[in-house]
């Protein structure tokens, strides 16, 4: 989402080349935003200032249906990401709570989510929460960086929980936005992050249990509010 509150889709046109187009507007009321495949078409979820959780179902062509409220009381969410943690083909939601710093899993049913369980505690210093299949086992894993040290950590999904695996990056405090996506189409989600000072879009490719810096793949991303 850009500075004009427009939702932009950047299609991978091969390698690390992307072409962007506006696919939605009026996103100024979105507080937390995540993209994942809830029903097979590529969808977006967001929280509002009033604490409602909205689902935008994709039409398969880059557009979205009118939003549907699928939850209330989400105003205390500090970090939100989405992906198929359980491996059942339907996206789930993972959040970090502002008050108790718990990492929580909400299991997706295809058009809705249900609170499932606490899958982590002590996440008060974790930022840039992202969910994606880093390991390539068809279950989405969790990645987040520690704001106090800049460590980027990988938490591998078991299908019902996530376990700390290892530190996969350092000095990520210089990144202000981060997401996971399979950029090189090898079945493993890569890390994409924007530089806080530079506005550069940086790619880190996944080997399955680690990441390798692959360089800058875009410039002028400083005005992007949400990277999903």
């Amino acid at each position: 989402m850009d500075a004009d509150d427009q939702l932009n889709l950047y299609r991978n046109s091969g390698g690390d080349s992307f072409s962007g187009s506006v696919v939605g507007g009026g996103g100024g009321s979105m507080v937390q935003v995540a993209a994942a495949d809830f029903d097979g078409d590529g969808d977006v979820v967001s929280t509002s200032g009033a604490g409602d959780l909205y689902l935008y179902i994709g039409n398969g062509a880059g557009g979205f249906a009118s939003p549907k409220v699928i939850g209330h009381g989400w105003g205390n969410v500090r970090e939100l990401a989405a992906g198929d943690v359980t491996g059942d083909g339907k996206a789930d939601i993972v959040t970090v709570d502002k008050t108790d710093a718990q990492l929580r899993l909400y299991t997706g049913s295809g058009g809705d989510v249900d609170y499932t369980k606490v899958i982590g505690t002590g996440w008060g210093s974790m930022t840039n929460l992202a969910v994606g299949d880093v390991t390539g086992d068809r279950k989405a894993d969790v990645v987040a960086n520690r704001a106090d040290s800049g460590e980027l950590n990988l938490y591998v999904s078991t299908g019902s929980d996530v376990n700390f695996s290892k530190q996969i990056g350092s000095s990520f405090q210089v990144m202000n936005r981060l997401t996971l996506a399979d950029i090189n189409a090898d079945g493993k989600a890569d890390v994409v992050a924007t530089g806080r000072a530079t506005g550069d879009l940086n790619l880190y490719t996944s080997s399955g249990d680690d990441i390798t810096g692959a360089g800058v793949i875009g410039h002028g991303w400083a005005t992007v509010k949400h990277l999903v």
Side-chain angles (χ1 to χ4, degrees), residues 86-105:
T86 59
D88 65 353
K90 305 180 187 71
D92 313 300
I93 292 177
V94 177
T95 67
V96 176
D97 187 83
K98 291 179 183 177
T99 303
D100 59 22
Q102 291 181 336
L103 185 69
R104 296 173 178 167
L105 173 64

Side-chain angles (χ1 to χ4, degrees), residues 62-111:
F64 299 90
S66 298
K68 167 189 174 185
V69 177
I70 60 171
H72 303 283
W74 286 66
N76 214 40
V77 170
R78 180 173 62 82
E79 298 272 341
L80 180 146
D84 186 13
V85 176
T86 59
D88 65 353
K90 305 180 187 71
D92 313 300
I93 292 177
V94 177
T95 67
V96 176
D97 187 83
K98 291 179 183 177
T99 303
D100 59 22
Q102 291 181 336
L103 185 69
R104 296 173 178 167
L105 173 64
Y106 298 78
T107 302
S109 61

Side-chain angles (χ1 to χ4, degrees), residues 185-212:
D186 67 350
K188 297 182 286 290
D190 310 303
V191 173
V192 181
T194 54
R196 189 184 307 277
T198 65
D200 290 339
L201 187 68
N202 301 275
L203 172 64
Y204 303 83
T205 56
S206 171
S207 63
D209 64 354
D210 212 336
I211 58 172
T212 302

Side-chain angles (χ1 to χ4, degrees), residues 20-142:
S21 60
V22 176
V23 295
S29 63
M30 294 180 176
V31 179
Q32 302 287 345
V33 184
D37 194 359
F38 285 83
D39 72 339
D41 291 324
D43 315 301
V44 170
V45 288
S46 72
T47 59
S48 70
D52 294 327
L53 180 68
Y54 287 90
L55 172 63
Y56 299 76
I57 296 293
N59 62 13
F64 299 90
S66 298
K68 167 189 174 185
V69 177
I70 60 171
H72 303 283
W74 286 66
N76 214 40
V77 170
R78 180 173 62 82
E79 298 272 341
L80 180 146
D84 186 13
V85 176
T86 59
D88 65 353
K90 305 180 187 71
D92 313 300
I93 292 177
V94 177
T95 67
V96 176
D97 187 83
K98 291 179 183 177
T99 303
D100 59 22
Q102 291 181 336
L103 185 69
R104 296 173 178 167
L105 173 64
Y106 298 78
T107 302
S109 61
D112 209 338
V113 292
D114 296 308
Y115 171 72
T116 305
K117 62 189 291 189
V118 173
I119 57 174
T121 58
W123 281 65
S125 65
M126 305 304 284
T127 64
N128 287 331
L129 181 73
V131 174
D133 185 9
V134 176
T135 60
D137 65 352
R138 299 187 179 181
K139 295 186 291 289
D141 311 299
V142 172

